[in-house]
Amino acid sequence: MKKRKASLSAVLLLCILIITMSTYVMEWVFDRYTTVIRFHRSTNAKIRVEGVFYNRLSCCRTGAGCVTNPDGKPVNISINCNATDSTPATFSLDDDI
């Protein structure tokens, strides 16, 4: 019978190698997930701001139909609708968590 002396150390080395590789793969997966979630939230926030802005501009002419709480989330907007004395629009949106 032939005895294998190095089989235990080879198994341990293989286990360490597999654990190291899986750690790197999981780190990559979590980084990708974090990047995608941040991009998704950023896109949603931009879309919401544009929707609120366009709603406010469209009701500027008539003075009716302005939405103060779109999606049930508070928005503070100050727009001077007077064409002769215009001021920059100021938006304040609460963070979406």
Side-chain angles (χ1 to χ4, degrees):
M1 279 177 74
K2 195 178 191 184
K3 290 187 177 181
R4 297 183 183 181
K5 295 180 181 180
S7 64
L8 182 60
S9 61
V11 168
L12 287 175
L13 183 64
L14 188 60
C15 286
I16 291 172
L17 182 66
I18 290 172
I19 289 170
T20 304
M21 288 174 57
S22 64
T23 302
Y24 286 129
V25 168
M26 287 302 295
E27 183 179 348
W28 179 80
V29 167
F30 285 134
D31 285 344
R32 289 290 297 165
Y33 175 76
T34 303
T35 302
V36 168
I37 290 299
R38 285 181 182 166
F39 179 74
H40 177 72
R41 287 183 180 172
S42 173
T43 303
N44 283 346
K46 287 178 184 176
I47 290 170
R48 185 169 174 258
V49 167
E50 287 179 5
V52 170
F53 178 72
Y54 291 139
N55 172 266
R56 194 51 54 106
L57 286 180
S58 68
C59 74
C60 206
R61 173 172 259 186
T62 61
C66 290
V67 178
T68 56
N69 289 332
D71 301 331
K73 298 170 186 167
V75 176
N76 297 322
I77 303 172
S78 62
I79 296 178
N80 185 356
C81 296
N82 188 352
T84 59
D85 186 24
S86 62
T87 59
T90 304
F91 291 85
S92 174
L93 294 156
D94 290 344
D95 290 333
D96 221 2
I97 298 176

